[in-house]
Amino acid sequence: MQGKYTVELFAKERNLTRQSAINLLSKLKKQGYVTVSGGGRQKRIYTVSNKIQKPTNGFYSIVNKYSPEKLQPDFKHYTYGNYTIEHAIIDGIKINNVRTRQATMHLFRHIRSWKRLFQLAKKHNLTKEVINLYYEARKTTRCKTMPKRYQ
């Protein structure tokens, strides 16, 4: 029983009342078998799957949150622990795609720790690429100024 459903369609296929269908979908959602989209003025669409759907919390979720250019994920990126904007900038440079670089430029507006960014850049040997991307971003968007010790 996988696919996309509204509450009414799900209730009709399962031969349940509307409230029972809502309760079952809620239970499945808590277990991770259902993801929900829509709501508000739109109809809620429930995507039911046979496997547990783990929400992504990596590069693409951060970029799509902060950048006006939204990206369709090429892969599912799961992270464990503290994944910050600085990590996302390094991953965006590593992906090395034109659209990804454009979207990554907008992340420079939200940097909290330049020190962490340059420690990660040094660790991955991407210091020059970070600086070049920063200066490209300065041409198109308003960014926080980079401290002089990192220039």
Side-chain angles (χ1 to χ4, degrees):
M1 174 106 200
Q2 62 185 32
K4 294 189 177 211
Y5 300 98
T6 61
V7 174
E8 291 79 14
L9 279 173
F10 189 77
K12 193 175 184 180
E13 279 203 17
R14 284 289 183 112
N15 203 13
L16 300 169
T17 62
R18 187 175 189 281
Q19 189 59 50
S20 296
I22 290 172
N23 291 343
L24 181 59
L25 284 168
S26 175
K27 229 180 251 186
L28 290 172
K29 181 180 165 194
K30 284 179 187 174
Q31 293 171 357
Y33 291 103
V34 173
T35 55
V36 182
S37 61
R41 291 185 178 177
Q42 300 173 337
K43 270 282 197 192
R44 262 178 221 264
I45 305 294
Y46 296 91
T47 307
V48 182
S49 64
N50 294 335
K51 295 180 182 175
I52 292 178
Q53 297 297 313
K54 192 171 158 187
T56 59
N57 59 349
F59 173 72
Y60 289 105
S61 58
I62 284 186
V63 167
N64 289 337
K65 181 178 178 184
Y66 290 111
S67 175
E69 296 181 31
K70 308 303 180 197
L71 296 177
Q72 186 67 32
D74 291 337
F75 54 90
K76 289 189 178 182
H77 189 220
Y78 301 107
T79 58
Y80 300 97
N82 190 17
Y83 189 77
T84 60
I85 292 170
E86 292 83 11
H87 288 93
I89 290 172
I90 297 298
D91 287 343
I93 292 171
K94 279 180 162 181
I95 291 172
N96 200 15
N97 183 344
V98 175
R99 279 188 49 87
T100 306
R101 285 179 65 88
Q102 290 290 326
T104 305
M105 281 193 234
H106 294 281
L107 296 179
F108 281 102
R109 298 167 55 194
H110 303 281
I111 288 180
R112 292 200 182 100
S113 173
W114 288 98
K115 183 178 180 182
R116 182 185 302 144
L117 176 65
F118 278 95
Q119 283 175 346
L120 287 168
K122 227 180 249 185
K123 182 179 172 185
H124 296 284
N125 297 323
L126 296 172
T127 309
K128 288 182 182 177
E129 288 87 348
V130 169
I131 292 171
N132 290 339
L133 188 64
Y134 169 75
Y135 284 119
E136 282 180 44
R138 286 288 298 229
K139 292 176 186 173
T140 57
T141 62
R142 290 180 57 179
C143 302
K144 294 180 178 181
T145 54
M146 183 187 295
K148 291 187 178 174
R149 71 181 128 186
Y150 299 120
Q151 294 176 357

